[in-house]
Amino acid sequence: MTEGEPVSCHDCGALHRWRPLADGQRARCTRCGNVLYRWYATGPAPTPASMVAVTMGAVLVYLIAQCFPIVELEMNGLTSGATLLQAIGVLWNERMEVIAAMVFFFVVAFPALELGALLYVSAGLLRGRRVPGFHLLLRVVQGARHWAMTEVLMIGILVTAIKMTSMARVIPHPGLFAFGALTILGAVALRYEPRALWGLGERFAPRHGSTAPASAPAPAAPGQPIDCHACGLLNGGACEGRHCRRCGAVLHRRIPNSITWTWALLAAAALLYVPANILPVMYTESLGGTGGDTIMSGVALCWNTGSPGLAIVFFVASALVPVSKLLALALLAGTAQWGSRWAPAGRTRLYRVVEFIGRWSMLDIFVVTLTVALVRFQALAVITAGPGALAFGCVVILTMIASSRFDPRLIWDPLDSAAPRGRIGGETDGENNGESNGELHA
């Protein structure tokens, strides 16, 4: 990008002028406070060489994590251990195919897609060219990153290991350390945001002309550029329904039917949350008999057996976070539908919080998956998954889709309707604790 080129805020649609940032600065929207872009003073620089090195390391660690056992339990001379794929296989064999598919996609397939596509793209940029399907691959990285949950799995592994120490000896295996390293490398790879990679591609492998397919809908109003929701490019003079001239994504001023989809998904999630709390998430078969545990009975059990820390973790991830997401999304959808002008900046921050915490409710599902796979002492104790886990997993997925379908720019539309659009603001504030308001760095 060139200095002075207009850019749009993803969360509120405000226009700003792009300008390079100094080391350690972050570009924030002057209206809603969203971080538009950032420059990291520490960590790897955004170059193809560093991308290849970090991504290649993450791929190698990913393979180790998938192939080696995570932990092993030893109880009364019996041992039981499992890799992540074996744990998924146990769920599948117990007729819990939907839960097995959830876990497989979130911690196996989507991380593999993200790392594979990122490695392929960065290797091409290292040679000074764009690989075939460059734009599609970056959109794959963007989508897979939203659903990949390696960091949540890592916390689930630690919680499971701590929980199992009360009944057996826990022996760590290479898979545990590999997932820890993968979590760290994944956090480093997050610095390579797809939107920044599009700009990096233009710097290292410029391409002239547009390859986006053409279409012929009604032209947009003059002076109303459309921000591409995929690559972030501001398409001046574009038409609703036309394709982005950089990445080829279909352009929409707002996510189509955003409010309708959000309400429908919230209603489905709220209905499923009832059986998720009533039905058992796990069944335990032991010498003392067979019993089932719901989410809240599991929380109470941890609290009463001297593990208040685990009880708090389970309560926050399984009760507080899902209910908070449902209420917050209902508030956002309702106020946007009614055209409310109440606290737009606060509601935008609430939306960002919902987006951030959405994935962490899957912690309970990962703990169930690992516990079912590890506690397989046929003569002493066996744990199996219950229908409550299936319902709860569906609640998490539905709320995540609902938050992604909600368009936060709808919060600001009532204010924009009372003021002329198309203004470009946001000048650099050099003394803002390393932050620069309204500027972008490519």
Side-chain angles (χ1 to χ4, degrees), residues 78-101:
L78 300 176
T79 59
S80 176
T83 65
L84 178 60
L85 292 175
Q86 288 173 340
I88 295 172
V90 170
L91 286 176
W92 187 275
N93 293 331
E94 292 184 351
R95 313 302 298 173
M96 286 291 175
E97 294 91 346
V98 177
I99 302 179

Side-chain angles (χ1 to χ4, degrees), residues 304-329:
N304 294 330
T305 54
S307 301
L310 290 181
I312 293 173
V313 168
F314 285 129
F315 177 77
V316 170
S318 305
L320 186 60
V321 169
V323 172
S324 299
K325 285 192 298 181
L326 291 172
L327 294 176
L329 285 171

Side-chain angles (χ1 to χ4, degrees), residues 96-440:
M96 286 291 175
E97 294 91 346
V98 177
I99 302 179
M102 290 180 191
V103 177
F104 175 79
F105 281 111
F106 292 153
V107 296
V108 179
F110 287 128
L113 279 175
E114 177 192 351
L115 294 175
L118 191 59
L119 180 60
Y120 185 51
V121 167
S122 59
L125 292 176
L126 184 62
R127 296 193 298 270
R129 66 182 183 86
R130 293 181 183 177
V131 297
F134 176 83
H135 299 298
L136 177 61
L137 287 169
L138 286 184
R139 289 165 66 182
V140 167
V141 172
Q142 201 170 42
R145 184 169 288 178
H146 179 73
W147 292 99
M149 302 184 186
T150 303
E151 71 281 8
V152 184
L153 174 66
M154 186 62 214
I155 299 299
I157 292 173
L158 295 178
V159 169
T160 304
I162 295 172
K163 182 180 177 181
M164 292 296 103
T165 55
S166 62
M167 62 178 296
R169 180 181 173 222
V170 178
I171 305 172
H173 276 262
L176 172 64
F177 304 105
F179 273 114
L182 182 60
T183 301
I184 297 173
L185 289 174
V188 176
L190 284 177
R191 298 173 183 266
Y192 308 125
E193 300 172 354
R195 291 193 175 195
L197 295 182
W198 265 295
L200 190 64
E202 291 177 351
R203 284 205 337 248
F204 284 87
R207 174 179 292 181
H208 301 286
S210 174
T211 59
S215 53
Q224 297 286 324
I226 302 179
D227 177 32
C228 177
H229 213 61
C231 71
L233 181 69
L234 201 63
N235 290 260
C239 301
E240 181 82 17
R242 194 177 287 272
H243 294 267
C244 174
R245 66 175 184 266
R246 178 162 69 179
C247 72
V250 179
L251 297 173
H252 296 287
R253 298 195 179 279
R254 299 294 180 264
I255 297 176
N257 303 313
S258 174
I259 299 296
T260 303
W261 274 107
T262 302
W263 278 122
L265 293 165
L266 278 181
L271 289 174
L272 283 172
Y273 191 63
V274 176
N277 282 272
I278 295 177
L279 298 176
V281 294
M282 286 191 302
Y283 293 106
T284 303
E285 299 178 13
S286 64
L287 297 177
T290 302
D293 286 312
T294 64
I295 291 175
M296 295 311 298
S297 69
V299 171
L301 179 63
C302 289
W303 186 273
N304 294 330
T305 54
S307 301
L310 290 181
I312 293 173
V313 168
F314 285 129
F315 177 77
V316 170
S318 305
L320 186 60
V321 169
V323 172
S324 299
K325 285 192 298 181
L326 291 172
L327 294 176
L329 285 171
L331 173 66
L332 293 173
T335 53
Q337 185 174 17
W338 297 327
S340 172
R341 298 184 183 183
W342 167 71
R347 284 185 286 151
T348 305
R349 287 193 293 269
L350 179 62
Y351 164 77
R352 295 189 203 117
V353 171
V354 171
E355 278 280 273
F356 175 76
I357 67 174
R359 61 180 54 225
W360 289 96
S361 293
M362 281 299 295
L363 176 67
D364 214 34
I365 301 300
F366 294 150
V367 171
V368 169
T369 300
L370 295 169
T371 303
V372 167
L374 291 172
V375 184
R376 312 298 293 177
F377 304 104
Q378 300 296 335
L380 299 176
V382 175
I383 294 179
T384 57
L390 173 60
F392 186 78
C394 292
V395 170
V396 177
I397 293 175
L398 288 171
T399 52
M400 288 186 66
I401 298 175
S403 65
S404 66
R405 292 299 301 177
F406 179 77
D407 194 330
R409 293 171 295 183
L410 295 172
I411 297 172
W412 297 88
D413 281 349
L415 285 78
D416 291 337
S417 63
R421 291 297 309 273
R423 66 178 180 84
I424 299 177
E427 298 301 324
T428 303
D429 180 6
E431 297 180 352
N432 194 15
N433 295 325
E435 296 185 2
S436 174
N437 291 336
E439 306 297 327
L440 274 183

